[in-house]
C-alpha cells in the first residue's frame, strides 16, 4: 500500500471528505497500525446514503468511530473506512423525553447532554472513549450498565444506502456482543475480527431512554466514575481499554495478573502494570507487537489456568508480509 501523505479531495456529487492512504494510527486509540486505502467522512446522513449508493458492491467497507476498540494490522486496510466520528453528530431531546443521538456522538458528550437535561442513567457513558455507533456495535458498558438497556430504537443503513428502524428485538444482544438476527447476505460490510462475523448494517442513530432525575447528581456521579477510571486505568499511555472479555464468573485482569504477565513486553507493547487487562503502547509499538502480545497473553493464560480468554478488541486489516 502507498505510505505517502494523504491527498485530500472532494468527490463529485458528495459533500463529505474522501482521503487516500490514511494512517489508521491517527484514528485508533492505540496510535498504531497500517494505512487505510480510502477514508470517507460523510457530511451528514443524506450524504452517507448517497455515498453508499454509489459504492461498488464489492468494495470492502469498515465503520470506524473513535477507534477505541480497534487494532488495524500494519499492512493496512483494503477498501474504504467510513469515519463516523466528526460526522453524524446530531444530539437532541425529543418531545417524548428520549434522547436522539447520532452515531458519531462521543459517549462523554451524551452523558453530559443527559445530565444537562436532568436525566439519569447515562453517566456510565462518560468514561467510554467511543462513539454512540461504536457503543451500539459493542454493547459497551461499565459499572453495571450497558448501552442496549437504554435503547428504544435504532436507525441503521445497509451498504446499499437503505435506511431501517430497528429495536433491540431485532438483535442478539449479550456481553459485548450484538448481532443482527436476520442478516441479509447481500449487505456485508466490514468484518469485525472479534469473531462477530460480518456487519450487515451500520448504526446511524439511536433513541435512548434515560430516567428523569437531578442533573447535579448526574454530574457528581460522572466525576466519581471518571475518578475511579483515573485511579485504576493507565490513561497516560495509548491503549484500547480492556483487551479481553471477562470469562464467566471471573475477571480477565485477575487471571492475567495471576499468570505473572503484568509488565510483559513485545517491542513497544506492554501489559500494563496498572491494569493487567490493558495493553499500552509505550512508544512506537507496531500493530504486530500488540497482536503478538495479545496472542502470548492468551496462550500463557490458557496453559496455566485452562481458561481461553477471548479478545474484546476488534482486529482488522492485513498483516505486513
Ligand atoms: C481507556 C479506555 C476505556 C474503555 N472503557 C470501556 C468500558 O468501560 N466499557 C466498554 O464497553 N468499552 C470500553 N472501552 C472500549 C471502547 O471505548 C468501546 O468499545 C467503544 O464502544 C468503542 O467505540 P468506538 O467509536 O471507538 O468504536 P471503534 O473502535 O471505532 O469500532 C469498534 C467496532 O464497532 C464498529 N462500529 C463503529 N461504529 C459503528 C457503527 N456506527 N455502526 C456499526 N458498527 C460500528 C467498528 O466497525 C468496530 O468493529 C474503553 C476503551 C478505552 C481506550
Amino acid at each position: 500500500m502507498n505510505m505517502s501523505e494523504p491527498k485530500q479531495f472532494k468527490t463529485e456529487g458528495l459533500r463529505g471528505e474522501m482521503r487516500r492512504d490514511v494512517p489508521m494510527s491517527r484514528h485508533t486509540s492505540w496510535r498504531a497500525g497500517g494505512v487505510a486505502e480510502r477514508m470517507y467522512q460523510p457530511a451528514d446522513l443524506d450524504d452517507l446514503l448517497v455515498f453508499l449508493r454509489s459504492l461498488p458492491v464489492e468494495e470492502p467497507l469498515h465503520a470506524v468511530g473513535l477507534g477505541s476498540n480497534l487494532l488495524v494490522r500494519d499492512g493496512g486496510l483494503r477498501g474504504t473506512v467510513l469515519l463516523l466520528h466528526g460526522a453524524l453528530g446530531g444530539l437532541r431531546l425529543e418531545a417524548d423525553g428520549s434522547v436522539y443521538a447520532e452515531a458519531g456522538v462521543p459517549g462523554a458528550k451524551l452523558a453530559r447532554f443527559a445530565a444537562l437535561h436532568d436525566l439519569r442513567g447515562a453517566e456510565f457513558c462518560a468514561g467510554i472513549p467511543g462513539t454512540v455507533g461504536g457503543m451500539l456495535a459493542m454493547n459497551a458498558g461499565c459499572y453495571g450498565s450497558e448501552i442496549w438497556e437504554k435503547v428504544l430504537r435504532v436507525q441503521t443503513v445497509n451498504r446499499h444506502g437503505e435506511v431501517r428502524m430497528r429495536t433491540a428485538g431485532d438483535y442478539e444482544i449479550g456481553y459485548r456482543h450484538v448481532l443482527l438476527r436476520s442478516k441479509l447476505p447481500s449487505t456485508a460490510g466490514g468484518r469485525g475480527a472479534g469473531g462477530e462475523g460480518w456487519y450487515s448494517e451500520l448504526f446511524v442513530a439511536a433513541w435512548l431512554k434515560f430516567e428523569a432525575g437531578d442533573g447535579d447528581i448526574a454530574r457528581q456521579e460522572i466525576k466519581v466514575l471518571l475518578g475511579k477510571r483515573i485511579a485504576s486505568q493507565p490513561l497516560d499511555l495509548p491503549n484500547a481499554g480492556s483487551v479481553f472479555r471477562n470469562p464467566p464468573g471471573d475477571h480477565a485482569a485477575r487471571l492475567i495478573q495471576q499468570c505473572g504477565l503484568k509488565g510483559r513486553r513485545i517491542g513497544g507493547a506492554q501489559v500494563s502494570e496498572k491494569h493487567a487487562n490493558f495493553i499500552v503502547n509505550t512508544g512506537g509499538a507496531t500493530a504486530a507487537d500488540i497482536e503478538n502480545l495479545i496472542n502470548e497473553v492468551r496462550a500463557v493464560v490458557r496453559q496455566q489456568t485452562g481458561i481461553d480468554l477471548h479478545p474484546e478488541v476488534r482486529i482488522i486489516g492485513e498483516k505486513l508480509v
Side-chain angles (χ1 to χ4, degrees), residues 26-181:
R26 293 186 192 158
H27 296 281
T28 54
S29 59
W30 252 321
R31 299 281 174 254
V35 167
E37 239 179 339
R38 282 173 285 283
M39 177 178 279
Y40 188 67
Q41 191 170 28
D44 52 30
L45 178 57
D46 284 343
D47 185 62
L48 171 63
L49 301 183
V50 174
F51 175 76
L52 288 171
R53 286 169 194 157
S54 70
L55 199 68
V57 73
E58 65 282 357
E59 174 79 349
L61 195 59
H62 313 270
V64 172
L66 273 158
S68 63
N69 203 50
L70 207 56
L71 182 64
V72 177
R73 292 192 179 100
D74 301 307
L77 284 175
R78 296 225 175 90
T80 299
V81 165
L82 267 179
L83 189 65
L84 299 174
H85 176 240
L88 305 189
L91 186 59
R92 62 173 186 261
L93 193 65
E94 298 284 53
D96 67 357
S98 65
V99 173
Y100 167 83
E102 291 185 357
V105 173
K109 192 169 180 185
L110 173 64
R112 285 198 307 271
F113 180 86
L116 187 69
H117 291 89
D118 286 322
L119 296 171
R120 297 290 317 274
E123 297 90 328
F124 76 98
C125 300
I128 299 180
T131 58
V132 166
M135 290 175 70
L136 290 169
M138 296 301 305
N139 191 20
C142 53
Y143 305 119
S145 300
E146 287 178 339
I147 192 72
W148 274 92
E149 292 164 5
K150 314 294 179 189
V151 169
L152 287 176
R153 57 191 185 281
V154 291
Q155 192 177 33
T156 67
V157 60
N158 68 16
R159 61 164 302 150
H160 304 300
E162 295 159 349
V163 178
R164 286 196 174 79
M165 226 32 128
R166 295 197 179 276
T167 61
D170 292 325
Y171 298 89
E172 188 184 277
I173 295 169
Y175 166 59
R176 306 292 175 270
H177 169 88
V178 180
L179 197 62
L180 187 59
R181 291 185 196 278

